[in-house]
Structures are given as C-alpha cells and as structure tokens.
C-alpha cells in the first residue's frame, strides 16, 4: 500500500522529551502516536510474568512464538494488550522499567517486533517514537527527528516526573540510571541508539516543550503539504 500521509520518526535518549513531543505533535497533526518503547515494555512484562529472564534465549523464543501482542487504537494512540489483557498501565512499573533495556537488546525480541511496527506505519499518518525508528524500522520516514539534551537536564526532567508521581528517588540516582541506560542502548550491537544520517538533530536542553513542538510542526506541515497535498486547514482539530 503506498503511503498516504506523513510518517514521522522521533528518536533520542531517555528524558530527551520524546514522548511529550511526539504526543503533542501527533495531536496537532490529527494523527495517532505510536510509542514503540511500550512494545519493548510489553514483551518485558510478558516475559517477567512467565518467569523468564533475559539470559534464557531458548525460553524467550518459545515465549515469543506463543505471545499475543495487540495494539488497539485509542483516542490518541494505542492501548497495548498482551494475551487478551490490557497491560498499558502496568508497563511503567519499576520492575518492567528495570528489565526493558536488557530485553530490548535481545535480537529475537527486536526481530519479532520489527514487522509489527512496520505494519502499523505502512499507510503513514503516524508519529512513531523510539530509539531506532529513523535508522532501522522506518529508514524511509518522511521526517526524522533526533532529540538530544544534556544528561543533567534530562535527569532533572525525569526526576520531576517521578517526584510528582510520589516516587522517592534522588536526582543523583536518576542521573546515574539514565547514564547506564544510555550506555546500554547506545553500545548494543543491534539497532544501537544513534541518529540516522538524514535526521534533524534538535537539542532541547534550553527549549520549552512548546518551542520544540512548534519547530518540528513547522517541518512536518511543509513536508505534508508538498508530498501529500494535505494543507494546514484540514489538519485543524
Ligand atoms: O522509551 P522507553 O523508556 O519506554 O523504552 C523502553 C526500553 O525499550 C528502553 O530501554 C529502550 C528500548 N527501546 C528500544 O530499544 N527501541 C525502541 N524503538 C524503543 C525503545
């Protein structure tokens, strides 16, 4: 099926502002937002539930063969269902977060999720957020944005988010964990975190959310109008 609307890839390290930016961007364009981190978290959730650890490749292959992962369209994005159960809210539990990076480094898991992600983006009209969207999943995305921000600022944002949720953690601890995750995501042999050669790199350290969204929106609207003939007025929601 030929693509009928813009496909946007938003990549970058943890805490660079991907999720908020992707969500607001999608809302402004009137298209859904796919957070691929949720897919890696869903697989992690399913493996933990079955008592399987990342160091057991054979059991992981078997579990993937039997795993039913569904994305059901919701108001602005997707709800994630595993084995007939809506697990979306459980994906952000600390236990899942603690193992998602390790699970996402497993080749079998990445291969298993690749086709599923591609099928969802085939027709376009989607903002896809992750680590390898512009490099591996959709190397032909219409617009690729790689968000970066200083480690200290990313840790501050993440700490604020956790703090407001009542999680007791020090800013130093958040910074150390982010650094560890960045290293693991960037050093893994398959689909490491890095910008595509044709990605636009946006440093959000000193930008407000509104500013970063406005900048990407400007690029997106222009591409959308030129390539797909979709003009500003039809986007207004
Ligand atoms: O964005 P997040 O924190 O929800 O992602 C969870 C984990 O999945 C994180 O360790 C990075 C990994 N991930 C990935 O390897 N590739 C993606 N496209 C998205 C997430």
């Amino acid at each position: 099926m030929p693509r009928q609307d813009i496909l946007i890839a938003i990549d970058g390290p943890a805490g660079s502002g991907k999720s908020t930016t992707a969500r607001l961007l999608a809302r402004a364009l009137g298209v859904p937002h796919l957070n691929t981190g949720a897919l890696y978290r869903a697989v992690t959730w399913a493996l933990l539930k079955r008592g399987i650890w990342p160091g057991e490749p054979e059991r992981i292959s078997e579990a993937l063969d039997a795993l039913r992962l569904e994305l059901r369209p919701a108001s602005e994005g997707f709800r994630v269902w595993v084995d007939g159960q809506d697990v979306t809210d459980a994906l952000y539990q600390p236990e899942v977060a603690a193992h998602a990076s390790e699970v996402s480094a497993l080749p079998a898991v990445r291969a298993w999720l690749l086709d599923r992600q591609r099928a969802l983006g085939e027709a376009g009209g989607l903002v896809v957020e992750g680590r390898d969207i512009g490099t591996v999943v959709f190397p032909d995305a219409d617009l690729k944005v790689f968000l970066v921000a200083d480690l200290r600022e990313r840790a501050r944002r993440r700490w604020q988010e956790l703090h407001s949720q009542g999680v007791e953690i020090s800013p130093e601890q958040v910074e150390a964990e982010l650094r560890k995750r960045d290293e693991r995501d960037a050093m893994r042999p398959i689909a490491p975190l890095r910008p595509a050669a044709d990605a636009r790199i946006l440093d959000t350290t000193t930008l407000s959310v509104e500013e970063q969204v406005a900048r990407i929106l400007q690029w997106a609207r222009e591409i959308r109008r030129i390539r797909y003939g979709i003009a500003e007025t039809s986007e207004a929601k």
Side-chain angles (χ1 to χ4, degrees):
M1 187 203 303
R3 195 179 293 161
Q4 285 149 11
D5 195 353
I6 193 166
L7 183 67
I8 303 177
I10 309 275
D11 291 301
S16 58
K18 289 190 306 289
S19 291
T20 315
T21 305
R23 192 174 58 242
L24 295 175
L25 183 66
R27 187 183 298 167
L29 293 169
V31 301
H33 158 221
L34 173 64
N35 176 356
T36 60
L39 304 180
Y40 289 94
R41 286 171 184 262
V43 172
T44 306
W45 184 91
L47 294 178
L48 290 176
K49 186 165 157 255
R50 290 163 168 78
I52 300 173
W53 297 95
E56 303 176 296
E58 263 166 45
R59 294 188 70 202
I60 287 169
S61 299
E62 269 169 43
L64 290 175
D65 285 342
L67 187 66
R68 281 189 299 130
L69 176 68
E70 280 171 87
L71 290 170
R72 300 201 182 165
S75 58
E76 292 186 335
F78 298 91
R79 303 285 299 177
V80 184
W81 288 62
V82 174
D83 298 335
Q85 185 185 346
D86 183 344
V87 298
T88 320
D89 298 330
L91 301 180
Y92 294 88
Q93 287 166 353
E95 213 201 340
V96 175
H99 295 285
S101 178
E102 251 173 298
V103 169
S104 72
L106 300 169
V109 171
R110 301 205 76 84
W112 193 83
L113 282 176
L114 187 59
D115 292 344
R116 284 166 177 79
Q117 294 171 80
R118 287 192 175 150
L120 285 161
E122 205 187 7
L126 193 64
V127 177
V128 190
E129 163 203 348
R131 303 290 193 290
D132 61 339
I133 308 306
T135 48
V136 176
V137 182
F138 294 116
D140 65 342
D142 295 293
L143 173 61
K144 301 178 188 177
V145 180
F146 194 87
L147 296 180
V148 295
D150 288 352
L151 176 65
R152 173 115 340 141
E153 172 60 17
R154 291 191 286 119
R156 193 192 63 77
R157 292 176 189 167
R158 186 49 58 97
W159 177 81
Q160 217 162 34
E161 199 177 295
L162 292 170
H163 187 70
S164 72
Q165 293 163 0
V167 179
E168 291 210 15
I169 190 165
S170 71
E172 291 75 25
Q173 223 175 325
V174 176
E175 187 173 319
E177 277 169 24
L178 272 187
R179 178 180 293 128
K180 212 163 70 190
R181 254 177 70 172
D182 284 356
E183 276 169 14
R184 191 156 38 201
D185 290 343
M187 299 307 285
R188 67 180 175 218
I190 50 160
L193 174 69
R194 62 172 176 81
D198 55 349
R200 302 184 198 209
I201 297 179
L202 190 59
D203 187 337
T204 69
T205 308
T206 61
L207 293 181
S208 68
V209 171
E210 292 75 23
E211 285 169 328
Q212 69 207 40
V213 172
R215 215 166 285 190
I216 304 172
L217 200 50
Q218 203 176 359
W219 297 330
R221 286 191 165 141
E222 193 183 341
I223 294 171
R224 206 182 193 197
R225 182 172 50 76
I226 294 170
R227 289 198 193 154
Y228 299 98
I230 301 175
E232 188 77 2
T233 49
S234 64
E235 286 160 10
K237 278 251 137 179

